Amino acid sequence: MLPEYRLFINGEWIATEQKSQVINKATGTPLATYSQAGPEEVDIAVTAAWKAFRREKIDPYYRYEILKKASELLLERHEDLALTLSQEVGKTLKEARGEVSRAAETLLLSAEEAKRLQGEVVPIEGSPGNTNRRAWTMRVPLGVVCAITPFNAPLNLACHKIGPALAAGNAVVYKPASTTPITGAKLCQVLADAGLPTGYLNMVLGSGAVVGDALARDERIAFYSFTGSPAVGLRLKSSIGFRRIALELGSNSPNIVHSDADLCLAVEACTRSAFANAGQLCISVQRVYVQRQVYDEFCRRAVDLTRTLKVGDPLDPATDIGPMISEAEAERAESWVKEAVAGGAQVLVGGRRRGAWLEPTILAGVTPEMRVCCQEIFAPVFSVIPYDTIDEAIAMANDSRYGLQAGIFTNSLDVANLCAQELEFGSVIINDVSTFRADLMPYGGVKESGTSKEGPRYVIREMTEERLVVLRI
Ligand code: NAP
């Protein structure tokens, strides 16, 4: 008998008639079954959140204690969660372990923010005729927050939404990706065990089309926190009217390697990061612009390093690259590579596919309109593109519909400063790759990469209302 996962509503695990299977992404065998929600269950889940929020307010200090306890429980359950992530997503065990540790940190950072929510005194007496008034602001919770997460980092990205939402005093309805419901269920159990009052966290499982649309229609939801693809983000944004939304979307991240850079550092960082999580990270290295003087050397070293990486069973501690989320996704990425080759690109290394495993692949000779370059490939593939001047590299990096993070390797203060000024991205990372992220930093993109900043300290402002109080004395 396969284990069965259910919806989590009002503190209870709820089964439904319609079931789906969770597949082990490495073996292709079923891991578990789960209950799918329909519009009726979405309604019950939002009602539970709405009522919990109306029923009892949780004091900031208690929110801190719950989230801190949840962070500790994640660490206690570290190996079980890492194994789940590895099986459910196909992450290597070392990547899965890293994600659990980061998720615990994200919850701890969220816990700390619960104690820091504060307003400010407004010097209203400074306006003529207001000597008998005093004013201040308070940050108040919004009510029900809806958290929708993608498959690629299902634990930490869920913590980046649920943690700050609860820290702010909101109730949450959470919808994980259909491919990763077990991680979602285990996170709900952690928060319940940490003492979160009933109804403050509810999870609905099921297809984005059905569950997502029902969530979008429910006007009791005050705020949507969405991480996923631009197409789905735009659809959600277009259907929620005046209500608020934070979008964290995709990218085709550029990384610039200037001739004065530490080439060892640049090769190592770009190559390993491009293939981390089988390339399925929104800030994955995808376009690498290398100054012509060091281009051949960069390519040679990157190819040599790629050949040493172990592709295989994600549970083997020696494995560097596991399977992609599905064979269909690996086929899609492989077809983009083939299309680029048909258009004149060269495969320097990799390019072949076995089931859901796509070999780590480096392409040269790509042109800007090729999909491997202008769209988000979300696979273990990157392209190396030569440039002559830094202005040319910056122009090529900016020539994208996306703008999440960019990396620049240089030992010149002038070049670093120019890139910080001119690269049109949410973050510019100097002497490291676009893939760098610390969970406390403000994180989010421009253009089609998103509309907001995550990081508990930053997103908590979006998850609260600034209320002004004016007192006439
Ligand atoms: P996705 O297909 O857009 O799905 C994301 C979530 O949206 C899933 O839970 C999905 O449910 C749900 N969904 C689907 N249709 C929906 C609808 N009509 N209404 C509401 N929700 C709906 O993305 P993905 O393939 O899981 O993840 C990859 C994408 O996420 C990439 O573009 C990547 O760059 C982006 N990403 C961005 C960040 C960031 O912080 N900027 C971080 C990680 C990933 P189902 O699974 O049931 O379809």
Side-chain angles (χ1 to χ4, degrees):
M1 275 291 278
L2 291 173
E4 185 199 330
Y5 290 87
R6 300 177 174 188
L7 318 181
F8 186 65
I9 300 179
N10 216 16
E12 290 183 17
W13 296 101
I14 309 287
T16 62
E17 292 283 301
Q18 213 179 340
K19 307 275 193 262
S20 274
Q21 283 189 335
V22 194
I23 303 298
N24 180 322
K25 306 305 180 291
T27 62
T29 53
L31 268 177
T33 60
Y34 70 92
S35 285
Q36 291 215 42
E40 195 185 330
E41 287 79 24
V42 169
D43 178 60
I44 298 170
V46 180
T47 303
W50 175 255
K51 285 190 174 164
F53 181 73
R54 299 271 141 188
R55 183 187 67 226
E56 62 178 311
K57 298 278 174 277
I58 315 176
D59 286 342
Y61 186 74
Y62 190 37
R63 295 180 221 152
Y64 158 78
E65 283 195 318
I66 294 166
L67 288 165
K68 182 166 167 290
K69 178 72 186 164
S71 166
E72 289 161 5
L73 289 176
L74 278 188
L75 293 178
E76 274 175 29
R77 300 173 194 181
H78 197 281
E79 278 311 286
D80 174 61
L81 284 161
L83 185 64
T84 300
L85 277 174
S86 183
Q87 293 176 328
E88 197 174 43
V89 186
K91 279 174 188 285
T92 65
L93 202 49
K94 47 191 170 188
E95 288 164 343
R97 287 181 175 138
E99 183 174 343
V100 181
S101 301
R102 283 184 58 181
E105 194 201 344
T106 302
L107 287 186
L108 188 57
L109 289 165
S110 302
E112 287 161 358
E113 291 310 318
K115 296 196 287 188
R116 289 187 194 137
L117 265 181
Q118 58 190 44
E120 62 181 26
V121 171
V122 178
I124 205 145
E125 314 92 288
S127 241
N130 283 314
T131 44
N132 62 338
R133 286 182 169 82
R134 301 291 177 267
W136 64 91
T137 62
M138 305 188 304
R139 296 216 77 95
V140 295
L142 299 173
V144 179
V145 166
C146 173
I148 302 179
T149 51
F151 73 82
N152 64 325
L155 185 62
N156 194 28
L157 294 178
C159 289
H160 267 288
K161 300 180 180 319
I162 296 169
L166 295 175
N170 298 295
V172 177
V173 179
Y174 160 44
K175 186 228 162 311
S178 304
T179 40
T180 60
I182 305 179
T183 306
K186 290 191 172 180
L187 179 58
C188 290
Q189 189 64 59
V190 160
L191 279 149
D193 293 347
L196 187 68
T198 304
Y200 261 90
L201 175 61
N202 306 275
M203 179 183 69
V204 282
L205 301 171
S207 103
V210 177
V211 173
D213 283 355
L215 287 165
R217 280 194 301 272
D218 199 313
E219 301 233 336
R220 291 170 297 177
I221 295 174
F223 184 86
Y224 293 83
S225 175
F226 174 85
T227 298
S229 59
V232 176
L234 182 59
R235 180 188 164 114
L236 186 59
K237 184 171 186 278
S238 317
S239 57
I240 59 166
F242 286 113
R243 287 171 297 144
R244 281 157 39 179
I245 186 164
L247 295 171
E248 302 289 339
L249 309 173
S251 195
N252 60 347
S253 302
N255 289 266
I256 298 173
V257 180
H258 209 55
S259 57
D260 59 16
D262 177 338
L263 203 60
C264 280
L265 174 76
V267 168
E268 182 81 18
C270 288
T271 309
R272 288 194 187 278
S273 302
F275 304 138
N277 218 42
Q280 301 165 114
L281 292 170
C282 49
I283 39 182
S284 239
V285 171
Q286 184 172 332
R287 298 176 287 151
V288 181
Y289 297 102
V290 185
Q291 202 170 22
R292 210 172 291 278
Q293 295 93 305
V294 291
Y295 177 81
D296 288 341
E297 184 64 11
F298 180 95
C299 292
R300 191 184 60 72
R301 292 197 202 181
V303 167
D304 287 350
L305 175 55
T306 302
R307 290 208 169 105
T308 68
L309 299 177
K310 185 167 187 295
V311 179
D313 175 6
L315 290 179
D316 177 346
T319 297
D320 297 297
I321 299 158
M324 290 179 61
I325 191 69
S326 64
E327 187 163 350
E329 269 299 286
E331 273 171 4
R332 193 257 320 143
E334 182 193 29
S335 75
W336 289 19
V337 170
K338 285 186 171 159
E339 180 186 270
V341 171
Q346 302 96 48
V347 175
L348 299 184
V349 63
R352 285 171 307 182
R353 183 182 64 80
R354 186 177 50 82
W357 278 263
L358 183 62
E359 284 179 350
T361 302
I362 306 180
L363 296 174
V366 302
T367 51
E369 71 289 352
M370 288 178 177
R371 282 197 283 189
V372 292
C373 196
C374 68
Q375 295 190 23
E376 180 183 40
I377 189 153
F378 223 58
V381 178
F382 76 91
S383 298
V384 203
I385 302 149
Y387 70 86
D388 292 308
T389 66
I390 190 64
D391 291 334
E392 193 191 335
I394 291 171
M396 287 194 286
N398 285 343
D399 181 20
S400 170
R401 64 170 79 162
Y402 302 110
L404 192 45
Q405 299 208 130
I408 160 75
F409 290 85
T410 180
N411 277 320
S412 155
L413 209 49
D414 285 347
V415 170
N417 188 42
L418 184 72
C419 287
Q421 297 297 325
E422 299 298 327
L423 284 170
E424 295 158 358
F425 291 81
S427 315
V428 174
I429 315 291
I430 299 164
N431 280 332
D432 208 340
V433 272
S434 56
T435 322
F436 173 81
R437 181 178 183 183
D439 291 290
L440 59 60
M441 74 189 208
Y443 175 80
V446 299
K447 304 190 206 167
E448 290 183 26
S449 288
T451 59
S452 54
K453 293 284 181 199
E454 283 199 341
R457 178 176 165 201
Y458 306 93
V459 79
I460 202 166
R461 292 187 63 84
E462 301 191 40
M463 291 178 170
T464 49
E465 195 69 68
E466 185 169 55
R467 179 177 297 160
L468 174 73
V469 183
V470 179
L471 171 69
R472 183 174 170 174
I473 46 178

